[in-house]
Structure formats: structure tokens, C-alpha cells
Amino acid sequence: YFFKKVITKQDVLGFAELTGDFNPLHVNIDFGKKSVFKKNIVHGMFVGSLFSRLVGMHCPGEKSLYISQTFNFKLPVFIGDILLIRGTVSNKNDSIRMITLKTEIMRDNKIVIDGEAKVRVME
């Protein structure tokens, strides 16, 4: 399963407000311009949190319980990026109602974050 998400400035500011992470690399335009990236980057954990929507709403969806998630941060994400969030079942254990997902977030066919999720299917 997959879905797309356009990253907005409101997303970044909302995540900063929610977590208290106001690192200037994410929220200060002048600081971002002076960084190696030449602009602000999006919080990696915000981008990674999109896996929660993937698991909780789509794959396997409602009535699932997140057990674990790994993250490999590969490329920065910027405001305005269009991301593709994808999950692919790589293993299934019916006896304990557990699935393993290969998780990926991509921009322009390049992986920005990948990892693995373990999810228990409750019903």
C-alpha cells in the first residue's frame, strides 16, 4: 500500500510545537540558508511519523498495534516535497498475528527514509 503527502510549513511548525523541537535547522530561515542544505530541513522524526498513518490506517490498518519501527535516514526532506509513503509485507506469522513491513518514504524515486515495522493484527 502507499499514499502521498505534500510537506507544508504548517506541518513543520505544528510538529515543532507538538514536540518542542525548535532546532533552527528546521524553523529559522536565516539559519537554514547558512546550513549545508541552503534551506530548512524537515524534522526526520516528523517524516518518519508518516509510517504511523501507513500502519494505523492502511497496512494493515485499523485494529493493528505497532510493535516496533526502525528508521534509516538517507536524504533530507524540504518544505514543498511530495513524498510517497509505502509499506510492503515482507513476513507474516499467523500464529501470533504479526506482520513485518518493509517501510519506505520516497521523493522523486529516491528513498529518504526506510526501515522495518513489526505490527500485531488485533482482529
Side-chain angles (χ1 to χ4, degrees):
Y1 182 85
F2 71 92
F3 66 93
K4 291 184 179 182
K5 167 76 176 142
V6 177
I7 303 300
T8 68
K9 184 175 183 178
Q10 286 301 109
D11 291 330
V12 173
L13 295 177
F15 188 80
E17 186 68 34
L18 180 68
T19 63
D21 181 356
F22 291 94
N23 182 320
L25 189 56
H26 305 304
V27 298
N28 183 298
I29 293 171
D30 292 331
F31 189 91
K33 286 179 183 177
K34 294 175 186 173
S35 76
V36 66
F37 304 107
K38 305 296 182 209
K39 56 185 168 179
N40 296 112
I41 62 172
V42 177
H43 301 78
M45 291 305 290
F46 167 67
V47 178
S49 75
L50 296 172
F51 290 138
S52 184
R53 175 177 164 188
L54 175 77
V55 167
M57 301 307 295
H58 305 291
C59 184
E62 296 177 17
K63 301 179 185 170
S64 63
L65 176 65
Y66 230 133
I67 302 300
S68 66
Q69 173 74 56
T70 61
F71 297 100
N72 300 303
F73 299 97
K74 302 198 176 258
L75 293 170
V77 172
F78 305 99
I79 291 171
D81 282 356
I82 301 169
L83 303 179
L84 176 93
I85 299 86
R86 177 170 56 195
T88 306
V89 176
S90 60
N91 192 21
K92 183 177 174 186
N93 185 326
D94 290 328
S95 65
I96 60 171
R97 302 175 69 100
M98 184 85 69
I99 64 169
T100 303
L101 297 171
K102 175 183 174 185
T103 53
E104 298 173 311
I105 298 179
M106 303 179 78
R107 176 192 61 228
D108 299 327
N109 294 317
K110 293 179 186 166
I111 295 173
V112 297
I113 300 178
D114 67 6
E116 181 180 86
K118 293 194 183 294
V119 181
R120 177 154 294 133
V121 179
M122 303 305 287
E123 289 184 23

